[in-house]
Amino acid sequence: MRRFHRTVIAVLLSSAAATALCGQQTPPPIALTLKRTLELALQNSKDIKIARIQASVADRAAMISKADFLPNLYVGSGAGYTYGIPETPGGRAPSIFNVTYTEQVFNLPLRGAAKEQQEQAKAQKILLEDMRSAVIAGTATAYLELAKVRHSLDLLRKENDSAEKILGVTQEREGEGLELPMEVTRAQLTKAQVAQRVLQLESRQEELETYLRDQLGLAPEQQFELAADELPGAAEQEGANLVALAMENNTDIRLAQSDVRAKEFRYRGEKGGRLPTVELVSVYSLLAKFNNYDQFFQTFQRNNLNAGVQVQMPIFSARTKAAVGLADVNLQVARATLESKKSQVSADVKKKTRRLREMDAAKEVARLQLQLAQQSVSALQSQFEEGKTNLRDVERARLEESDRWMAYLDATFQRQQAQVELLRTAGQIDKVME
């Protein structure tokens, strides 16, 4: 009976251990397209979340500046002991209870400062859009590079097989006295170089996978497969058209335009400092006899209400003159910066358009070199089957073909990277998601 109990317990423990082991197994790989990858990055990016919070903070700050032009109601008390004329450090009469109402009606300097703050809040939203563009560009570039790296690793592993065959043939021939030791060393060097490149690409693969998992909000152990995606054809644009689009959508230009508008609000507001200000004010006070009002005033009234409009007319204000001068200089600087940004962005778009064309040409050269290497392998394979050449020459041709394949992959990725950079500069990075 005891043996039966031990057997049952052992079976239960084994089942529990198996269940726990299954629960710890790595989740199956998921398939990711470029579009789905970008969608996940936009949903889970920490940088976007921080930028969204900063935009919210800017909105709150703008609301504080606007508050002076909204009704403000305060309740308080100034009760206290008085000896002599009743007064408080603030200049108001001591009161058991008081209510104060204020609202700015016409105050151009304050209005200008509030509008400047609101425009700065809008600029923060532009920065949020820029962060979104940065996440799209960074994630798309990482996705495309990882696809290239994985393909290159597959090719290098085939290269390693060819290098191993070449080394074996060379060692056999050297043992038969048909090759110099130098040829064996050369074959060993080729194999070592392939192994080195494999290690380098595996390190880069790990870096890119870690970056993408972080951007997409995936678990650290989550594996994923990539589709062989290209950038969509809608991302292609003529250079001249992109310059015009950049003038409207480039982040740096939009920020500079926002800064000009903010400085204009401030300048107009400070100029309005020469005009009178109008404010609605109202004060209710509940007074007490123990503050000796009846000893210093002819009559005493317990409830007191004052309501009306407070108008201030500036006759001479040194502060207004200085503020107008400063606002004018800041506005001139903002306008000059805007023109500089426009020239810089226009030149940058043209430069990146030329680079994209250069990458197109480089990709075509790499394609033709790959095609030539493939034709060479095909020709040598036919000669080997006919006994006109040896295995080592065929494998060397395969090594050359693999190198040309990787060069073509590099050229393709560099073109894609140049295209992403150009689209971001032109404010058209959303086309990558189409």
Side-chain angles (χ1 to χ4, degrees):
M1 190 68 178
R2 290 179 179 177
R3 184 177 299 174
F4 174 75
H5 287 162
R6 291 196 198 99
T7 304
V8 172
I9 292 172
V11 171
L12 291 175
L13 289 175
S14 300
S15 301
T19 303
L21 183 61
C22 291
Q24 294 175 356
Q25 287 180 351
T26 303
I30 59 173
L32 292 175
T33 62
L34 177 57
K35 184 176 181 180
R36 180 56 181 162
T37 300
L38 295 177
E39 290 172 350
L40 288 173
L42 292 177
Q43 292 172 10
N44 298 285
S45 171
K46 299 180 182 67
D47 293 331
I48 291 180
K49 292 177 182 177
I50 293 173
R52 190 174 290 118
I53 292 172
Q54 291 173 337
S56 179
V57 170
D59 284 336
R60 302 292 181 183
M63 290 174 64
I64 293 175
S65 300
K66 188 180 178 182
D68 288 330
F69 294 90
L70 299 174
N72 295 276
L73 190 65
Y74 306 93
V75 176
S77 174
Y81 171 77
T82 60
Y83 176 76
I85 297 177
E87 61 182 352
T88 63
R92 295 181 56 177
S95 61
I96 300 174
F97 175 78
N98 60 71
V99 179
T100 304
Y101 173 88
T102 63
E103 180 181 355
Q104 291 285 346
V105 177
F106 187 79
N107 189 322
L108 291 184
L110 274 181
R111 179 74 70 181
K115 287 187 175 182
E116 180 186 34
Q117 195 83 33
Q118 292 169 16
E119 189 61 41
Q120 289 171 350
K122 293 178 182 178
Q124 199 64 47
K125 290 183 175 64
I126 296 175
L127 289 174
L128 172 59
E129 294 176 17
D130 183 57
M131 181 55 66
R132 183 178 181 275
S133 298
V135 168
I136 292 175
T139 304
T141 301
Y143 179 98
L144 295 169
E145 184 179 1
L146 180 58
K148 180 209 74 167
V149 168
R150 288 182 173 181
H151 195 168
S152 297
L153 278 171
D154 291 339
L155 293 171
L156 278 174
R157 291 183 181 109
K158 293 178 182 178
E159 274 196 26
N160 189 63
D161 293 340
S162 295
E164 186 70 36
K165 292 178 181 178
I166 292 172
L167 177 60
V169 171
T170 305
Q171 287 174 334
E172 288 179 5
R173 290 174 60 82
E174 191 261 346
E176 297 171 359
L178 300 176
E179 292 286 359
L180 294 174
M182 178 178 65
E183 294 300 324
V184 175
T185 303
R186 181 176 286 113
Q188 291 173 337
L189 174 61
T190 300
K191 189 174 185 303
Q193 288 173 333
V194 172
Q196 180 188 32
R197 294 169 69 186
V198 168
L199 288 174
Q200 290 172 342
L201 285 180
E202 285 177 345
S203 296
R204 184 57 180 163
Q205 176 181 238
E206 184 177 351
E207 292 174 4
L208 292 169
E209 288 176 349
T210 301
Y211 171 80
L212 285 175
R213 287 192 191 98
D214 182 66
Q215 286 292 99
L216 307 186
L218 300 178
E221 68 278 3
Q222 179 66 63
Q223 300 298 317
F224 50 89
E225 302 296 335
L226 305 182
D229 285 349
E230 291 281 345
L231 292 176
E236 300 288 349
Q237 294 283 348
E238 293 293 332
N241 188 28
L242 281 177
V243 171
L245 291 172
M247 292 300 105
E248 298 178 3
N249 302 299
N250 179 268
T251 299
D252 290 338
I253 290 179
R254 293 175 63 197
L255 286 173
Q257 290 171 337
S258 178
D259 190 47
V260 169
R261 288 192 295 270
K263 296 300 187 293
E264 286 175 345
F265 287 136
R266 189 58 178 251
Y267 176 66
R268 288 198 293 266
E270 296 297 352
K271 284 185 68 177
R274 302 187 180 97
L275 299 175
T277 61
V278 180
E279 181 181 11
L280 295 179
V281 294
S282 178
V283 179
Y284 166 78
S285 300
L286 178 63
L287 306 182
K289 285 187 177 182
F290 60 74
N291 289 117
N292 305 322
Y293 286 107
D294 54 350
Q295 296 181 18
F296 296 94
F297 300 97
Q298 292 182 354
T299 59
F300 169 75
Q301 182 172 316
R302 185 175 181 82
N303 295 287
N304 298 270
L305 175 64
N306 296 273
V309 177
Q310 180 174 314
V311 179
Q312 288 186 333
M313 173 68 75
I315 303 301
F316 175 78
S317 174
R319 185 255 172 219
T320 298
K321 182 178 180 181
V324 170
L326 177 62
D328 185 32
V329 171
N330 287 335
L331 177 57
Q332 293 178 27
V333 171
R335 286 172 175 169
T337 301
L338 174 59
E339 293 304 316
S340 175
K341 288 293 182 183
K342 286 182 177 180
S343 300
Q344 181 181 343
V345 169
S346 177
D348 202 19
V349 169
K350 293 176 182 178
K351 177 182 176 181
K352 291 180 178 179
T353 301
R354 289 193 299 270
R355 183 171 180 272
L356 183 59
R357 286 199 288 265
E358 291 172 4
M359 293 300 102
D360 278 331
K363 180 182 176 182
E364 178 63 15
V365 170
R367 186 190 68 80
L368 292 173
Q369 288 175 336
L370 170 61
Q371 183 178 348
L372 185 61
Q374 290 172 331
Q375 292 171 348
S376 177
V377 169
S378 179
L380 285 171
Q381 184 66 36
S382 299
Q383 293 176 9
F384 176 72
E385 292 171 358
E386 295 172 1
K388 296 180 180 179
T389 189
N390 56 52
L391 178 63
R392 185 172 60 175
D393 290 339
V394 175
E395 294 302 328
R396 282 177 175 170
R398 293 191 189 281
L399 283 177
E400 177 68 18
E401 178 192 14
S402 181
D403 286 340
R404 293 305 178 188
W405 249 117
M406 286 189 289
Y408 176 71
L409 292 174
D410 285 338
T412 301
F413 170 69
Q414 289 173 7
R415 187 207 178 277
Q416 292 169 332
Q417 189 176 32
Q419 188 176 4
V420 169
E421 292 174 359
L422 175 59
L423 290 172
R424 189 184 175 199
T425 302
Q428 301 296 301
I429 194 67
D430 282 343
K431 290 186 176 296
V432 175
M433 298 189 65
E434 292 181 356

